[in-house]
């Protein structure tokens, strides 16, 4: 199938095109990604396709959102395959800027959201969100989208971007798409490609623990975070005895504040290293 999709590598060219499209009253949706796309990413593009005239998908492995011990170098990449997949999901423009263009040598401006970046992911990856908000702010400035689609899998990221949109008065609607999972429940992630076939089944421990927590809340009326956390830890270690749990957190869905009692508005988020691969997942407990 021949596609009319454009691949743009130049920031000024992307900026010019975005302005021209806006001048023609076309609405623009942005789907930011780090590439190595899976069905989760493609579901975001399909959602964007329904909501805007033009869908811009960015593919950029953002170096500044990785910590010194993170997997920036090893992070999987496959640009050719990504471009094909974006075209087949209905994308119009792929924006693939090179890191030297995004962060020239004299780069010195960063965007920080405070408070809500201090917990959960922010506690274990202290420079992560400043990297995310800086690159997303730059993408917003270049692409000038009317809406941006992000995945619920990175729930705290959604909260942080929403805060930035509102604090910095970006005229952008944030759309949140549900987490797409593999058949066994593992949330799709580019990092799942790190697993060997023997390791891969262990990666379901996050989803198994979340399901267990939700069942205990809905079926047995358990409302104590500590009780759920203990059981979830057992479930994780019974599936993967070598797993390292960074956190299991119970927070209010709207404020990201920790809760003392589980309610219908509580979300459970967790980060676990399975055979050295750091996975995150979450589930609303209602
Ligand atoms: P990434 O390439 O990991 O930075 O992700 C790019 C976007 O895709 C983010 O908004 C993610 O939340 C979203 N995403 C990643 N995995 C999934 C998934 N399994 N289901 C839905 N969205 C996802």
């Amino acid at each position: 199938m021949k596609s009319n999709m454009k691949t743009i590598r130049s920031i000024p060219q992307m900026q010019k095109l975005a302005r021209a499209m806006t001048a023609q009253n076309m609405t623009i949706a942005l789907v930011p990604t780090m590439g190595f796309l899976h069905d989760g990413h493609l579901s975001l593009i399909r959602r964007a396709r329904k909501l805007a005239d033009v869908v811009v998908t960015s593919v950029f492995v953002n170096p500044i959102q990785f910590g010194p011990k993170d997997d920036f170098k090893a992070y999987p990449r496959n640009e050719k395959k990504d471009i094909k997949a974006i075209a087949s999901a209905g994308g119009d423009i792929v924006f693939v800027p090179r890191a030297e263009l995004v962060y020239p040598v004299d780069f010195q401006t960063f965007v920080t959201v405070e408070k809500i970046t201090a917990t959960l992911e922010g506690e274990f990856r202290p420079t992560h969100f400043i990297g995310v908000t800086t690159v997303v702010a730059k993408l917003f400035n270049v692409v000038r989208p009317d809406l941006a689609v992000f995945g619920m899998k990175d729930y705290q990221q959604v909260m942080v971007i929403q805060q930035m949109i509102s604090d910095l008065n970006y005229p952008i609607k944030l759309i949140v798409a549900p987490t797409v999972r593999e058949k066994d429940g593992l949330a799709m992630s580019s990092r799942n490609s790190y697993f060997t076939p023997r390791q891969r089944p262990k990666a379901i421990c996050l989803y198994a623990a979340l399901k267990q927590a939700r069942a205990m809340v809905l079926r047995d009326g358990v409302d104590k975070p500590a009780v759920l956390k203990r059981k979830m830890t057992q479930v994780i270690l019974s599936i993967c005895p070598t797993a390292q749990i960074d956190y299991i957190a119970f927070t209010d869905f709207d404020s990201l504040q920790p809760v003392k009692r589980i309610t219908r508005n509580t979300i459970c988020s967790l980060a676990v290293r399975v055979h050295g691969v750091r996975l995150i997942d979450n589930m609303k407990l209602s």
Side-chain angles (χ1 to χ4, degrees), residues 26-122:
M26 295 166 106
T27 53
I28 302 175
L30 171 67
V31 182
T33 82
M34 297 207 299
F36 211 74
L37 303 183
H38 49 67
D39 278 350
H41 295 114
L42 301 182
S43 76
L44 270 47
I45 297 168
R46 289 190 202 104
R47 179 79 174 269
R49 173 75 287 153
K50 290 194 186 131
L51 300 172
D53 298 322
V54 182
V55 178
V56 179
T57 306
S58 58
V59 174
F60 179 62
V61 185
N62 178 31
I64 68 165
Q65 73 185 66
F66 289 79
K69 288 185 189 148
D70 289 347
D71 55 345
F72 173 66
K73 280 222 172 95
Y75 199 83
R77 293 157 169 92
N78 191 337
E79 190 186 296
K80 261 195 188 157
K81 198 168 162 216
D82 286 346
I83 290 175
K84 274 195 190 146
I86 295 167
S88 69
D92 301 296
I93 296 173
V94 190
F95 179 43
V96 206
R98 279 210 321 275
E100 309 86 86
L101 301 180
V102 178
Y103 303 113
V105 277
D106 63 343
F107 187 83
Q108 47 195 304
T109 305
F110 295 88
V111 177
T112 314
V113 171
E114 298 184 348
K115 285 193 200 156
I116 56 167
T117 57
T119 59
L120 309 180
E121 284 301 286

Side-chain angles (χ1 to χ4, degrees), residues 229-246:
K229 193 171 167 179
R230 209 175 310 131
K231 183 66 194 176
M232 288 175 76
T233 303
Q234 274 174 19
V235 169
I236 291 166
L237 295 177
S238 72
I239 295 171
C240 181
T242 59
Q244 289 169 286
I245 300 171
D246 273 0

Side-chain angles (χ1 to χ4, degrees), residues 32-35 38 40-41 43-44 75 149-151 153-154 157 178-180 187-188:
T33 82
M34 297 207 299
H38 49 67
H41 295 114
S43 76
L44 270 47
Y75 199 83
V149 187
F150 286 83
K153 190 191 141 231
D154 298 274
Q157 172 171 280
T179 301
V180 176
M188 289 190 181

